[in-house]
Amino acid sequence: MPTKENIRSYAEHLFPLYEPEPKKKERRFVKRAVPPQISNKASEWMSSYRSQVLHVGTPPNEDAILSVPYKIKEDIDMSPNQFCCWYIGGRRSYHFKKYDRTDPKRRMVSLVCTLIIQLIELLPDTFEDPTRALSKRNFDKLYLLDPGTQIVCISVPNAVELIKSLVAFGPPSLFFIFEGCDDLLIKQDGTVDAELTENFTDLLRHLATPDTLRKVRKILWVGRGTSWPIWALSRELDDNRYVSVQYPEDQLN
């Protein structure tokens, strides 16, 4: 029977890649009260018994309104039997490199490795895994040799599949917070990485899909909403499962 300790040992090489948020010196954090229209929508989103996406739209000229995801995460952490995974993007360093020297692959690897580590911590101490979805062999599939550079790198598609498996073994009520991720997949020349966009869309679509085991999964996306993965969800989901509220610009000053 697998244990959480077993799974931690399989993922030991991922722990140095764990980056849920910017370092303190990089945070553009201005402490503001969360506007009531956002607080109300967030409360409805948290208390709903269905899987939902809540998009808090930010103005184009505002890099990050970190008070929103931090306050909502705080509320989730204080609620019984509710658990949260989170990732704060934006123009910050990724794996010890400044933003202007990173590429979409480095940023996406940061995101998927962070979610994997967080989801492992939410596993029960022991559990049944008859299909061996969380076997060491499947964790080993994360590491691929790049034929061009001969450097071992993380496979984002395999990481996405592993996240799906971890979610299935996680708690019944699970929240995912993404902030500042609209530009995560944009290259230095302004174009978008098509393959990674497909991977991220696949991940978000899975997290937003109702679970046959009656588990509730919810996504909070704080950002412009211009990234294809979240834009696609806004077109695929009905108004009961995709809710959008705009951050009022008159409360930014």
Side-chain angles (χ1 to χ4, degrees):
M1 180 180 292
T3 68
K4 183 191 292 188
E5 285 304 315
N6 292 148
I7 306 303
R8 280 190 186 132
S9 69
Y10 301 161
E12 62 179 339
H13 298 300
L14 300 184
F15 280 87
L17 305 180
Y18 177 69
E19 297 184 310
E21 58 186 308
K23 297 175 178 62
K24 286 186 178 180
K25 65 180 181 180
E26 296 179 310
R27 290 182 190 169
R28 300 167 304 283
F29 183 69
V30 179
K31 192 171 180 60
R32 300 185 179 101
V34 177
Q37 55 267 60
I38 293 178
S39 294
N40 294 340
K41 288 292 184 184
S43 295
E44 294 172 9
W45 171 75
M46 284 179 58
S47 60
S48 173
Y49 290 102
R50 70 174 73 212
S51 297
Q52 277 187 333
V53 177
L54 174 61
H55 168 218
V56 176
T58 58
N61 61 346
E62 186 70 9
D63 284 335
I65 304 177
L66 289 176
S67 55
V68 174
Y70 278 107
K71 177 62 172 67
I72 295 176
K73 181 184 179 300
E74 190 176 90
D75 291 343
I76 294 170
D77 290 342
M78 293 175 63
S79 302
N81 302 317
Q82 293 185 339
F83 302 89
C84 180
C85 295
W86 75 100
Y87 190 81
I88 308 296
R91 299 183 66 84
R92 61 154 169 120
S93 63
Y94 291 86
H95 298 157
F96 313 109
K97 281 199 173 184
K98 292 183 178 180
Y99 181 84
D100 58 5
R101 298 186 62 194
T102 63
D103 55 25
K105 176 69 179 291
R106 180 178 288 264
R107 297 175 217 141
M108 194 64 186
V109 165
S110 171
L111 184 148
V112 294
C113 290
T114 295
L115 291 186
I116 288 171
I117 296 302
Q118 291 179 353
L119 286 165
I120 288 173
E121 295 309 308
L122 296 179
L123 290 172
D125 290 336
T126 59
F127 55 94
E128 298 284 349
D129 183 12
T131 63
R132 297 184 56 78
L134 299 183
S135 66
K136 185 177 185 301
R137 180 179 180 182
N138 282 340
F139 273 86
D140 288 344
K141 289 179 181 178
L142 291 175
Y143 312 106
L144 297 179
L145 184 67
D146 186 301
T149 63
Q150 294 299 302
I151 296 174
V152 175
C153 57
I154 301 293
S155 165
V156 172
N158 290 349
V160 168
E161 292 305 310
L162 191 60
I163 289 170
K164 292 178 184 179
S165 297
L166 285 163
V167 166
F169 290 98
S173 184
L174 191 51
F175 295 77
F176 292 87
I177 295 177
F178 299 96
E179 192 276 341
C181 294
D182 283 289
D183 298 334
L184 203 71
L185 307 178
I186 296 180
K187 303 176 185 178
Q188 296 299 326
D189 62 6
T191 61
V192 176
D193 188 301
E195 182 179 352
L196 291 174
T197 296
E198 184 177 333
N199 299 150
F200 200 8
T201 304
D202 179 35
L203 173 61
L204 291 185
R205 186 176 285 129
H206 179 82
L207 298 181
T209 301
D211 196 291
T212 56
L213 299 177
R214 297 184 181 276
K215 291 188 176 184
V216 176
R217 299 195 295 263
K218 302 181 184 183
I219 297 172
L220 170 66
W221 184 280
V222 181
R224 300 187 307 277
T226 53
S227 176
W228 172 262
I230 196 66
W231 185 89
L233 285 188
S234 73
R235 295 298 181 268
E236 295 170 8
L237 303 179
D238 61 38
D239 292 342
N240 291 320
R241 292 184 50 222
Y242 187 96
V243 178
S244 184
V245 58
Q246 187 69 22
Y247 196 102
E249 293 194 45
D250 60 0
Q251 297 193 34
L252 290 175
N253 299 320

